[in-house]
Structure formats: structure tokens, C-alpha cells
Amino acid sequence: MSNFKEITPEEYKGNVFNDIGKKWMLITAAKDGKVNTMTASWGNMGVMWGKDIVSVFIRQTRFTKEFVDNADCFSISFLDHEKYAKELSYLGTVSGRDEDKIAKSGLTVEKCENTPYFAEGKLVLICRKMFAQEIKAESFIDKEALEKWYPNNDLHTLYVAEIVKVLEK
């Protein structure tokens, strides 16, 4: 954590539409002494229940979901997309079930209060889970979105988490 300084969520100067949707993020958690991560481009930040929060969406089939479900906290690491595009793409397409994808990516795992994150991050959010809900097909009002994004019925779980720490380089 030596290269990072802690800031408040209000001091975050990024653009969530670009940072999440275009530059992507790594969702990372630990389980039984192991760490797994996935690249994600769906999520949001805001205020809910009187807390600064982040919401992320993880498909039921993702190995990282087991890690997030097992942990009280997870991290979100935002890396320099131009510099780490290859690694971000790799971590989003290869499963940690099949190989040690973090080791193969060459990225460095550090921990903040037992929550793993990536040293290469420009911005890291340490997040405490508050809510999880499986998305259900019958809840869709916009059926076109359901058909477009879930043709195989591989729906996401929505996680809402309090942002407990923000680390910035």
C-alpha cells in the first residue's frame, strides 16, 4: 500500500462511465487462502442506505463469484487501460478454475486488511458487501435487454457494497 494514499470517495476525480464501462475494472476476492479476480465492465457507484456504495454484477458461472460470496469484502482495482489492456482482457476471458491466471498475468496482489487488490491499480476500492440478489428473468421490464444479454439464461447476481476505503496513486 506504500504507493497509494487514502482518499475519501468524494475526492474520486474519475468518470465512472469511462472507468467502469470503457476502461474496465478488476473485481478481486480471497477464499481459503487463494485469490481470484475477473474483469468487469458493468457496475456503478453512488449513495445508498446512507453509505457510499459500488454495485457490481457477476454471472452465476464465474469462478470469482465463489470468492466474492465467501468473503465479507472484495476490491475493485482500476488499472491504466492503455498500459494493461492485454492483462485486463486475459483476466476477463480465462477462468481461475483452469489455471493460475493471476500469476500468468504478471500482476501483483497486495492486501489491505486481508482484502486482495492489485498493486498496478491507479485507484482501488475496498468494498464491504451489504446486499446480494440474483437477477431473475421475470423481473425484466425491458425484454429486449433480457434477450440481448442473456440468450443462455446465464443471469448475474447484483452485489451492493459499501466503499470502506479508497486508495489512489
Side-chain angles (χ1 to χ4, degrees), residues 65-82:
K65 184 179 184 318
E66 295 176 26
F67 288 72
V68 171
D69 285 343
N70 183 72
D72 292 330
C73 295
F74 61 89
S75 71
I76 295 175
S77 298
F78 295 97
L79 282 62
D80 180 332
H81 186 84
E82 289 181 18

Side-chain angles (χ1 to χ4, degrees), residues 22-131:
K22 296 198 174 29
K23 296 180 182 178
W24 312 334
M25 60 185 166
L26 292 173
I27 302 170
T28 310
K31 174 185 171 190
D32 301 331
K34 296 181 180 175
V35 174
N36 200 51
T37 193
M38 63 177 270
T39 304
S41 63
W42 288 8
N44 53 61
M45 288 185 228
V47 177
M48 189 169 195
W49 303 317
K51 298 184 183 291
D52 298 315
I53 62 100
V54 62
S55 298
V56 297
F57 301 82
I58 303 175
R59 287 189 194 270
Q60 303 291 324
T61 55
R62 296 299 298 258
F63 189 48
T64 303
K65 184 179 184 318
E66 295 176 26
F67 288 72
V68 171
D69 285 343
N70 183 72
D72 292 330
C73 295
F74 61 89
S75 71
I76 295 175
S77 298
F78 295 97
L79 282 62
D80 180 332
H81 186 84
E82 289 181 18
K83 184 174 181 181
Y84 293 103
K86 180 178 158 189
E87 291 85 349
L88 288 162
S89 180
Y90 171 74
L91 291 168
T93 55
V94 173
S95 175
R97 277 188 194 96
D98 303 328
E99 60 185 64
D100 186 349
K101 68 181 189 175
I102 293 174
K104 286 189 176 183
S105 76
L107 298 180
T108 308
V109 175
E110 292 190 357
K111 289 191 176 181
C112 176
E113 299 172 14
N114 296 319
T115 302
Y117 67 93
F118 289 98
E120 292 80 3
K122 295 188 318 181
L123 183 82
V124 173
L125 307 177
I126 304 299
C127 309
R128 182 185 63 82
K129 288 186 311 188
M130 297 174 60
F131 178 85

